[in-house]
Amino acid sequence: LIRQGAMAAPRVDAVFGVHVNPRLPAGTLGLKTGPLMAAVDRFTIRLDGEGGHGAYPHEGRDAVVIAAEVVTALQSVVARRLDPVEPAVLTVGTIHGGERFNILPSSVVLTGTVRTLTPEWHRRMPRLIRQIAQGVARAHGGRARVDYEVLSRPVVNDRAMTALARRAAEETVGARRALVLERPSMGGEDFSEYLSKAPGCFVYVGTGADARTRRPWHHASFVLHEPSMLTGVNFLTALARRALRE
């Protein structure tokens, strides 16, 4: 949408968005000035060893063993290379390799995600991941190729636009149900691309009404509390009117 000119023709003065949040009580709105959600990156690591027979492992270079050590070593990036108070997440999400129980696979592919909130660590994480993956693979006589993709930047809410959104939230649900969020989330959201073009604010709509609707996003049994969606509609309507008026 940005490439097609949605933020430029006509020029956008401010941008706002909402996202359901089952961790917040149904019918509430959650707002935070500054960093709200993390940058989202994706990495793919291909580890190459040398195939062979499972009965004669000394004749090959076991890519599964290399992969296991790389997964473990990657955890040291957050645990031992970052300041302990620096928010960051590194997760390996998939491991693919091998065809039979008695054969050493020649290659294994790992994929995962990195979440960061600060520009410094957003820049440094690709280099650290490459260092560890290539170093571990080399120690076992193998090779590692790392592909690193930046999918979205951090969501950082503008102070003035958040204050405007808070006034609209209090108008919609009342001051007690317009919640002040203390901490950012390590989830990500490409709404950040809009925020790179115009000041704005991203807001959570609480949808947690009972045990069923409090299950987190992406849970296999996630259930949306649909009546809460009306809160989001009313909020955005009040926000548009207030923004144009003010």
Side-chain angles (χ1 to χ4, degrees), residues 67-151:
E69 290 207 17
V70 167
V71 171
T72 301
L74 285 174
Q75 306 312 305
S76 70
V77 173
V78 173
R80 288 295 177 266
R81 303 296 291 272
L82 271 73
D83 186 323
V85 299
E86 176 73 30
V89 173
L90 192 161
T91 296
V92 175
T94 69
I95 304 176
H96 294 288
E99 297 178 3
R100 286 183 58 83
F101 75 99
N102 62 342
I103 297 175
L104 301 184
S106 59
S107 66
V108 172
V109 176
L110 313 175
T111 66
T113 187
V114 173
R115 309 297 174 99
T116 51
L117 285 172
T118 61
E120 177 190 0
W121 283 103
H122 193 216
R123 289 192 303 268
R124 294 178 66 177
M125 291 297 276
R127 177 173 55 83
L128 292 173
I129 290 172
R130 287 192 176 92
Q131 283 179 352
I132 288 175
Q134 292 169 355
V136 170
R138 201 160 42 241
H140 287 275
R143 299 176 304 281
R145 188 184 75 203
V146 179
D147 295 320
Y148 198 95
E149 304 169 80
V150 175
L151 300 185

Side-chain angles (χ1 to χ4, degrees), residues 65-66 69 99 109 166 231 235:
V65 171
I66 298 173
E69 290 207 17
E99 297 178 3
V109 176
R166 181 171 305 286
T231 301
F235 164 68

